[in-house]
Amino acid sequence: MTAALCINCGKLKHGLLSQCDHCGELPPKEITFEIFLSDHYLSVDTLKEFGRVIKRLSIVANDKPEAYWAFMYLLSEYYPEIIFADVPKAFRVSSKILLKDLDLDPIVIKKGRFKTDKNDPESKYATIVDYSDTQCPYCGVKKSLAAWRLFNGYTDASLKLLIFEGRIFQSRCLKCQKIQSVRNDMVYFDIEPKPIIIFLDNPKADPEHQINHVPKEYFNDLFENFLYRKVNRPIELIEKIKIFDDGVDDIEVELAKHLLSLEMGMDVTERLHYHEMQSGFFKKKTFTFRDRKNELGMLTYQMKDKKGQAARLLPLMRDKLKQQRSEWPVVKAETLIKLLGSEAKYK
């Protein structure tokens, strides 16, 4: 029987679909995020800790909606890997005040009894988050660090905002509010619009471009013609996801960066970050880049201006990438220059 947390009173009940034995709260007609507050995903001790928070919030809040949204705010801000909710603006300020007044210690997270079923694709390729016990480097309180190991960008598309905001690479301490950087290997994959797998190797890449915790063969069951890439920093992962979400060729993006830097007579390639691509029936393909050092602002580049050059360099780059022994190519400015050699200086 599943042990589940009653969000109304904070007590544990037997079964997600059961009425709470303590407060009489009826289960929702359709189970959504409630499954993540059960012993399927969290240990009973962890559920009890969250239950104590719900109880305290119910005492200090003005009404049930205020207590409910304060709890959802707690999860979304400090434990988004469990539940990430869009807290209404009307409750954000009150939620911050209530949590500050309670002066809570971080909850040390222990995972529940869920085990990945290698024979069930839905289970096998589900997003995976591991936890490690540590101490806040600023206030010394005990806490947990969430390490995202496998991120399914298709089934958890709503959580990609956590990647774009950099929040999955950070851990905010509930006690002192200081932010700690979280560095770990992670695999991001998606099957739409282009089947891709991106390996984030933190803090630095090994020369063989090997992947450890999730081997390439892990994805064979999906029978997709995946495009494999490897990045070394969170900001590079964010950029790759945006590029492929827009249905753009990342090799072409890097070439556009390089050609733009040559055109400007500046070494700006490593400073440029892909923002968006615009195209239309009458409008040629235009890339927009953001200068990460904020000196040049937003820069645009139309590939039609270098159509002949691109026609020669793009096939050359793709062929050389295929010739590499690495199964996880790193496609960025320095790779482009290395692959093209003297061709990279061509105007």
Side-chain angles (χ1 to χ4, degrees), residues 151-168:
F151 194 110
N152 188 325
Y154 179 73
T155 59
D156 291 315
S158 62
L159 296 181
K160 285 199 286 188
L161 181 63
L162 297 175
I163 297 180
F164 296 152
E165 293 181 348
R167 293 180 56 188
I168 70 170

Side-chain angles (χ1 to χ4, degrees), residues 16-32:
L16 282 169
L17 299 176
S18 303
Q19 181 178 8
C20 181
D21 298 330
H22 306 279
C23 68
E25 182 77 4
L26 295 172
K29 293 182 180 180
E30 182 179 352
I31 298 297
T32 54

Side-chain angles (χ1 to χ4, degrees), residues 129-195:
V129 180
D130 290 333
Y131 293 95
S132 60
D133 297 343
T134 185
Q135 289 182 315
C136 175
Y138 303 101
C139 68
V141 69
K142 291 182 179 180
K143 57 178 293 191
S144 293
L145 286 182
W148 298 70
R149 295 298 187 184
L150 182 66
F151 194 110
N152 188 325
Y154 179 73
T155 59
D156 291 315
S158 62
L159 296 181
K160 285 199 286 188
L161 181 63
L162 297 175
I163 297 180
F164 296 152
E165 293 181 348
R167 293 180 56 188
I168 70 170
F169 311 112
Q170 299 174 345
S171 175
R172 183 186 294 274
C173 178
L174 183 59
K175 191 72 174 180
C176 69
Q177 301 300 311
K178 297 288 183 65
I179 296 177
Q180 177 181 358
S181 176
V182 180
R183 308 294 295 266
N184 58 269
D185 291 353
M186 186 187 85
V187 170
Y188 173 93
F189 82 100
D190 203 344
I191 59 176
E192 289 185 356
K194 182 181 295 184

Side-chain angles (χ1 to χ4, degrees), residues 328-345:
W328 298 85
V330 179
V331 179
K332 57 182 180 179
E334 61 185 38
T335 309
L336 180 151
I337 296 173
K338 181 179 179 181
L339 289 177
L340 298 181
S342 60
E343 288 284 348
K345 300 177 182 179

Side-chain angles (χ1 to χ4, degrees), residues 47-320:
L47 293 173
K48 288 180 178 179
E49 288 297 319
F50 280 121
R52 294 187 183 97
V53 174
I54 292 176
K55 182 64 176 178
R56 294 183 64 183
L57 285 171
S58 67
I59 296 174
V60 299
N62 292 317
D63 50 36
K64 284 188 177 181
E66 189 175 73
Y68 170 83
W69 284 114
F71 181 64
M72 298 304 287
Y73 181 87
L74 168 76
L75 293 172
S76 299
E77 288 296 312
Y78 301 95
Y79 310 98
E81 71 283 354
I82 299 175
I83 293 177
F84 181 57
D86 184 13
V87 178
K89 291 182 180 180
F91 291 101
R92 292 176 189 172
V93 174
S94 62
S95 297
K96 290 181 181 179
I97 294 174
L98 287 174
L99 294 176
K100 182 178 180 180
D101 290 343
L102 290 181
D103 191 28
L104 300 169
D105 286 333
I107 294 175
V108 178
I109 307 296
K110 300 295 183 184
K111 297 179 73 171
R113 54 187 176 83
F114 172 77
K115 300 293 183 183
T116 299
D117 183 357
K118 297 297 179 63
N119 297 317
D120 178 14
E122 185 175 350
S123 170
K124 177 179 178 179
Y125 299 114
T127 296
I128 298 174
V129 180
D130 290 333
Y131 293 95
S132 60
D133 297 343
T134 185
Q135 289 182 315
C136 175
Y138 303 101
C139 68
V141 69
K142 291 182 179 180
K143 57 178 293 191
S144 293
L145 286 182
W148 298 70
R149 295 298 187 184
L150 182 66
F151 194 110
N152 188 325
Y154 179 73
T155 59
D156 291 315
S158 62
L159 296 181
K160 285 199 286 188
L161 181 63
L162 297 175
I163 297 180
F164 296 152
E165 293 181 348
R167 293 180 56 188
I168 70 170
F169 311 112
Q170 299 174 345
S171 175
R172 183 186 294 274
C173 178
L174 183 59
K175 191 72 174 180
C176 69
Q177 301 300 311
K178 297 288 183 65
I179 296 177
Q180 177 181 358
S181 176
V182 180
R183 308 294 295 266
N184 58 269
D185 291 353
M186 186 187 85
V187 170
Y188 173 93
F189 82 100
D190 203 344
I191 59 176
E192 289 185 356
K194 182 181 295 184
I196 57 166
I197 300 177
I198 308 171
F199 172 39
L200 173 65
D201 185 14
N202 255 322
K204 67 177 183 178
D206 56 280
E208 293 82 16
H209 307 307
Q210 297 298 311
I211 182 168
N212 299 317
H213 66 284
V214 181
K216 184 176 179 179
E217 293 74 19
Y218 187 81
F219 298 94
N220 287 347
D221 294 342
L222 293 179
F223 299 105
E224 294 282 357
N225 185 22
F226 279 104
L227 179 67
Y228 291 84
R229 290 291 186 265
K230 183 174 181 178
V231 295
N232 309 134
R233 294 179 295 171
I235 193 171
E236 294 172 358
L237 173 65
I238 294 170
E239 181 181 45
K240 287 293 182 189
I241 295 174
K242 287 183 177 180
I243 289 172
F244 291 124
D245 279 356
D246 287 349
V248 182
D249 185 342
D250 65 330
I251 299 177
E252 189 174 12
V253 169
E254 294 301 334
L255 179 59
K257 288 182 185 180
H258 183 71
L259 296 177
L260 179 58
S261 67
L262 290 177
E263 184 177 284
M264 296 180 64
M266 300 176 62
D267 183 18
V268 299
T269 310
E270 285 292 350
R271 291 164 44 172
L272 297 181
H273 189 76
Y274 174 84
H275 179 65
E276 64 178 355
M277 186 272 290
Q278 297 178 345
S279 63
F281 185 76
F282 295 105
K283 191 172 184 179
K284 300 298 183 180
K285 184 185 297 182
T286 302
F287 294 116
T288 302
F289 300 104
R290 187 188 304 276
D291 177 23
R292 291 203 292 256
K293 294 188 178 180
N294 298 317
E295 296 175 5
L296 302 175
M298 301 294 287
L299 301 173
T300 60
Y301 190 80
Q302 287 191 346
M303 289 300 289
K304 71 170 186 176
D305 296 335
K306 298 290 184 180
K307 187 175 181 180
Q309 184 176 2
R312 285 185 285 272
L313 294 183
L314 280 172
L316 176 62
M317 290 174 62
R318 294 193 182 102
D319 288 343
K320 289 194 174 184

